[in-house]
Amino acid sequence: MTATVRSLLSAGGACLLLAGCVSFGSEAPPQLLTLTSNATPAAGAMASASVTDAIVVDVPTVERTLDQVRVPVQVSDSAIAYVKDAVWADKPARLFRTVLAETLAAGSGRLVLDQVETGAERSTMLSGQLHRFGYDEDARAAIVRFDAVVRKPGSPLRKQRFEASVPVATVDAVTVGAALNQAANAVAAQVAAWTVG
């Protein structure tokens, strides 16, 4: 056996040993969490409007702790952990934007678009910042807090804070996910009524 062959065999053996110790991909979570709107337009429902009558719902801005797919736990004023195995199917801001848009469309009957579809400056614009979207250990509740901003053509800007909390008995992915879905829908309903009111 030549030195070259021995080197290749040795390198191959080292790779096999290494493969048993190193993972080249993160393990998939048992399930992915998502949000579903309690109020959605009926199948086949149509809406048409001029640009000035449409409502554009933008993706909320978030701070870094929410700019990811894990579910944060507010342990204290200065400490954050994460709910084990709780992973969103998409980032919370985009999921929440969908619930807002669905709730607005179902409740108002108006044409609801996203920024990608229109970008028109003459539409009513709903934007804002998602401050909380996770579990609070002190409150033992899932909390959603959203600062909504509405801009209507020819009217001054309006801003208001909305919040909902849902008690959580067991801190696990399924329970916290369901509670956040409930809280998100409660906030979306409040924001929708305020936007078109």
Side-chain angles (χ1 to χ4, degrees):
M1 183 180 295
T2 67
T4 303
V5 173
R6 276 197 301 271
S7 296
L8 288 172
L9 289 174
S10 177
C15 286
L16 289 173
L17 288 172
L18 186 61
C21 303
V22 177
S23 173
F24 291 97
S26 59
E27 188 176 328
Q31 59 190 335
L32 295 176
L33 303 174
T34 191
L35 299 179
T36 53
S37 177
N38 292 339
T40 58
M46 285 184 59
S48 63
S50 65
V51 171
T52 53
D53 290 330
I55 302 174
V56 177
V57 181
D58 205 1
V59 177
T61 60
V62 293
E63 56 188 47
R64 185 170 293 181
T65 55
L66 294 179
D67 192 25
Q68 59 173 310
V69 294
R70 298 171 73 189
V71 178
V73 175
Q74 193 75 41
V75 178
S76 68
D77 290 341
S78 58
I80 291 176
Y82 293 95
V83 178
K84 184 181 178 182
D85 294 330
V87 181
W88 293 111
D90 199 352
K91 290 185 178 180
R94 290 198 284 262
L95 294 173
F96 183 64
R97 185 246 162 237
T98 300
V99 171
L100 270 177
E102 289 278 295
T103 305
L104 261 170
S108 68
R110 292 172 65 181
L111 181 63
V112 177
L113 304 169
D114 63 30
Q115 189 68 31
V116 174
E117 292 172 316
T118 174
E121 292 297 315
R122 292 179 292 140
S123 305
T124 295
M125 187 82 172
L126 173 62
S127 58
Q129 183 171 8
L130 196 56
H131 286 280
R132 296 284 297 276
F133 203 89
Y135 176 74
D136 187 286
E137 194 170 75
D138 287 341
R140 296 185 180 278
I143 297 177
V144 174
R145 181 183 298 153
F146 178 61
D147 282 355
V149 178
V150 166
R151 188 207 70 213
K152 294 183 179 180
S155 301
L157 284 172
R158 290 191 297 145
K159 181 178 180 179
Q160 186 168 323
R161 174 165 289 185
F162 298 90
E163 183 173 314
S165 64
V166 175
V168 174
T170 306
V171 183
D172 59 37
V174 173
T175 309
V176 172
L180 282 169
N181 189 66
Q182 187 178 337
N185 273 279
V187 169
Q190 296 168 29
V191 173
W194 174 76
T195 301
V196 299

